[in-house]
Amino acid sequence: MSDDRLFKQRPLWMDAVAVALLMTATFKIMANATISPALPALEASFADVPGADYLVRFLVSAPSLTVVLVAPIAGLIADRHGRGPLLIAGVTLFAIAGSAGAYLPDLNSILVSRLLLGVAVAMTMTAQVSLVGDLFTGERRSSFLGWQTATVNFSGFIFIGFAGYLAGLSPRLPFLIYAIPILLLPLLVSIGHREKHAGEGVGGVPASSTEVTPNQRWVIQALMVAALAMTTVSLFFLMPSQLPFYLDRSGFESASATAVALGTLTLVGGCVALIFKRVCSRLGLALTLSVGYLVMGGGFVALAVEATWVFILAGAALIGAGYAFVQPGFLLLALKVAPPERRGTVSGFVTTGMFLGQVISPIVMTPFLQIEGFGAVFFGVALVLMLLAVLSLLPAFLRLEKKSGAI
């Protein structure tokens, strides 16, 4: 057996390219959340700037805005000029734009750097998802996506915890965390070679033998997956965006209670994501998505029942576990409907859908919460998730899964 064959059979954690791709997947949580612990001190340091209270808060969500606008364009570039070069350029821009907040002189220039950070996230996320489709097939692809969800969840603890420590020293220091990805560049240089041979599949098996080329309706299917991603993320985003207010109104000390609840969600989600491949191989993609939506729905029902620690922690755990099946599920579905030469475009659609879900979630949900209250909204969200669970089992969805080849 050749050395190349042995290399391709290595576990994901021993594959340098796979590790680099897993690390770049963490950018989507790193982009927004890393500076959160520094916001109060940043606001105080720019107290003399008109509108500083609003502008400082907007620093968190600014990258999501440009991701929504740029991701479709990045997808077209990935298809035309290659995913590897786009990923390397995105990682470089991410490190430069992200760390710029540590030394830029004023709040407006920091805001511009945050918008550029969103451009970098759009480039890296689009290229990364496309490369997952190019370089991995079958069960290895579903295994990678499960590991990816786990990596994103666990990395949130590391980045936010480290940022909290640095913010205690200076509100500018957390921005330096964004420079860490520059260390990935040596691992990414080998992607060009792997990308050229992506047509060989994984383990020496031609991709054409394990996957059926999608039909000409791929644009409609890709937009449907993007809409599914947007809806799912907008509902899931109730947790980080609205849970603190729910806990505060329920008589809890919101900061510590939110940390415990979201920590439970993240840890449980990270652990459950590690078994995604096993579950998906046994149940199939459609049923795995359906189970994920049902479990998420059960979590929101638990939150709606009563604001006690038992129901709060149970709800957070169920939502995290369900989302650990759903997120890699719709990414896997996106790669199934995408023709190989259009994976960048489809990845751009789905990336836009995911970040658009983050943007619209507070805009759409807050009025309902103000009118109906948290309990009613949580029950309503649970019903929508259960509807998605049913839709995941529709005959058309099942036919799509069968035509797309093995999971």
Side-chain angles (χ1 to χ4, degrees):
M1 184 176 292
S2 68
D3 291 339
D4 185 57
R5 175 77 172 178
L6 285 169
F7 177 74
K8 290 179 179 179
Q9 289 186 337
R10 286 179 178 176
L12 290 173
W13 58 272
M14 294 181 62
D15 185 331
V17 170
V19 171
L21 290 175
L22 286 173
M23 293 299 100
T24 56
T26 66
F27 289 8
K28 61 186 174 185
I29 189 170
M30 186 180 183
N32 298 100
T34 299
I35 65 167
S36 294
L39 292 182
L42 276 174
E43 182 179 346
S45 65
F46 291 110
D48 58 335
V49 178
D53 53 343
Y54 170 79
L55 291 175
V56 167
R57 285 165 174 78
F58 187 59
L59 293 179
V60 176
S61 57
S64 295
L65 178 61
T66 43
V67 169
V68 169
L69 298 174
V70 173
I73 301 171
L76 294 173
I77 294 173
D79 287 337
R80 178 166 297 185
H81 300 290
R83 291 74 142 117
L86 183 68
L87 181 64
I88 292 173
V91 170
T92 303
L93 179 60
F94 187 94
I96 295 171
S99 62
Y103 53 81
L104 290 174
D106 56 73
L107 187 54
N108 288 331
S109 59
I110 294 176
L111 180 57
V112 172
S113 74
R114 298 292 293 176
L115 293 171
L116 287 174
L117 180 66
V119 175
V121 173
M123 295 166 66
T124 55
M125 292 296 96
T126 300
Q128 191 264 356
V129 174
S130 303
L131 283 164
V132 172
D134 292 343
L135 303 177
F136 306 108
T137 59
E139 290 192 356
R140 190 168 174 87
R141 181 186 292 173
S142 59
S143 178
F144 181 94
L145 291 173
W147 274 90
Q148 174 174 302
T149 301
T151 301
V152 170
N153 281 10
F154 294 140
S155 68
F157 271 108
I158 298 173
F159 292 141
I160 296 174
F162 189 32
Y165 169 75
L166 293 178
L169 303 176
S170 167
R172 296 296 195 104
L173 287 179
F175 288 99
L176 294 178
I177 295 176
Y178 292 103
I180 294 176
I182 205 74
L183 300 176
L184 295 175
L185 290 179
L187 294 178
L188 297 177
V189 294
S190 61
I191 282 184
H193 173 73
R194 292 280 289 274
E195 187 178 5
K196 290 177 182 178
H197 299 283
E200 299 174 2
V202 178
V205 180
S208 59
S209 70
T210 58
E211 297 184 31
V212 179
T213 301
N215 59 45
Q216 296 302 312
R217 299 174 60 188
W218 67 269
V219 174
I220 296 174
Q221 294 173 342
L223 290 174
M224 291 175 65
V225 176
L228 178 67
M230 181 190 71
T231 303
T232 303
V233 171
S234 65
L235 298 177
F236 174 78
F237 210 66
L238 276 167
M239 294 301 287
S241 64
Q242 304 292 352
L243 186 65
F245 300 100
Y246 173 63
L247 295 173
D248 182 66
R249 294 186 184 183
S250 300
F252 292 89
E253 200 287 308
S254 62
S256 58
T258 300
V260 172
L262 293 183
T264 300
L265 181 151
T266 305
L267 280 177
V268 172
C271 293
V272 171
L274 295 175
I275 64 170
F276 172 77
K277 184 196 80 169
R278 187 179 307 171
V279 173
C280 197
S281 297
R282 181 166 299 181
L283 300 182
L285 176 55
L287 188 54
T288 300
L289 276 170
S290 183
V291 169
Y293 282 123
L294 284 174
V295 173
M296 284 184 69
F300 278 103
V301 169
L303 289 178
V305 170
E306 189 178 3
T308 62
W309 273 120
V310 172
F311 288 102
I312 291 169
L313 294 180
L318 288 171
I319 292 168
Y323 193 66
F325 286 156
V326 169
Q327 184 183 38
F330 63 65
L331 288 175
L332 189 58
L333 180 61
L335 292 173
K336 282 177 172 292
V337 305
E341 71 277 7
R342 296 296 184 186
R343 283 179 181 142
T345 301
V346 174
S347 299
F349 288 168
V350 176
T351 300
T352 294
M354 292 175 66
F355 280 86
L356 185 59
Q358 293 183 18
V359 173
I360 69 172
S361 181
I363 298 173
V364 173
M365 293 297 180
T366 300
F368 286 105
L369 289 167
Q370 293 173 341
I371 296 170
E372 302 294 338
F374 284 95
V377 170
F378 287 157
F379 271 123
V381 169
L383 289 175
V384 174
L385 289 167
M386 291 175 186
L387 176 61
L388 291 174
V390 174
L391 292 176
S392 299
L393 298 177
L394 286 178
F397 193 102
L398 292 171
R399 285 197 300 271
L400 172 62
E401 179 182 355
K402 290 176 183 178
K403 289 180 181 179
S404 300
I407 291 182

